[in-house]
Amino acid sequence: MELMYQIIVSSLVTLLLLSFFMFLIYKIRQFRTNREVRTVYYKSISMIWLGIAMLSFGLNSIVQFGTAVSYLVGIIFIVFGGYNIWYYNKARRKFKGNLPIEEKAWEEFERNKKTSRR
């Protein structure tokens, strides 16, 4: 039983660190792009990873500490993390459909920019 507890806690902490790292990667991508649709697409992905981090933190607090306060805090983090994942996954699907349209408009913009210089 002790080994199972250690495996669960270490996997939740690993998931927490991985999701926070992925959140940072997509946040950096969001700030580095100059296209509007890609900006909100990367924001939605980063917020999904933040939701996963919140969810794993809530589960970790419930598993690791057995007090009533940790259960309350864990449930709050699980609810907010789950809602974050659900809401921003909907947004990600919406903006993913607009990426080809933006790519086509961006190519046309670049083509017009090159021809106007001549």
Side-chain angles (χ1 to χ4, degrees), residues 32-70:
R32 291 188 60 136
T33 188
N34 57 356
R35 300 179 185 183
E36 291 84 15
V37 176
R38 283 197 194 273
T39 300
V40 292
Y41 178 70
Y42 289 144
K43 178 186 177 192
S44 62
I45 293 176
S46 71
M47 294 306 285
I48 289 171
W49 282 109
L50 183 64
I52 293 171
M54 290 170 62
L55 188 79
S56 63
F57 179 79
L59 287 172
N60 189 31
S61 69
I62 288 174
V63 169
Q64 203 166 14
F65 311 109
T67 64
V69 174
S70 68

Side-chain angles (χ1 to χ4, degrees), residues 55-110:
L55 188 79
S56 63
F57 179 79
L59 287 172
N60 189 31
S61 69
I62 288 174
V63 169
Q64 203 166 14
F65 311 109
T67 64
V69 174
S70 68
Y71 281 115
L72 182 65
V73 169
I75 289 172
I76 289 171
F77 271 94
I78 288 170
V79 167
F80 281 127
Y83 178 74
N84 229 12
I85 293 169
W86 173 77
Y87 180 79
Y88 286 106
N89 190 36
K90 249 176 42 173
R92 179 195 60 85
R93 283 184 282 163
K94 177 184 176 188
F95 292 118
K96 187 176 183 179
N98 292 334
L99 286 176
I101 298 167
E102 184 196 35
E103 186 67 35
K104 184 178 175 184
W106 191 261
E107 288 172 2
E108 184 178 323
F109 172 72
E110 289 292 323

Side-chain angles (χ1 to χ4, degrees), residues 4-21:
M4 188 59 123
Y5 173 77
Q6 289 177 350
I7 291 172
I8 290 171
V9 169
S10 62
S11 62
L12 285 172
V13 169
T14 303
L15 179 64
L16 177 68
L17 293 174
L18 174 72
S19 60
F20 185 69
F21 179 69

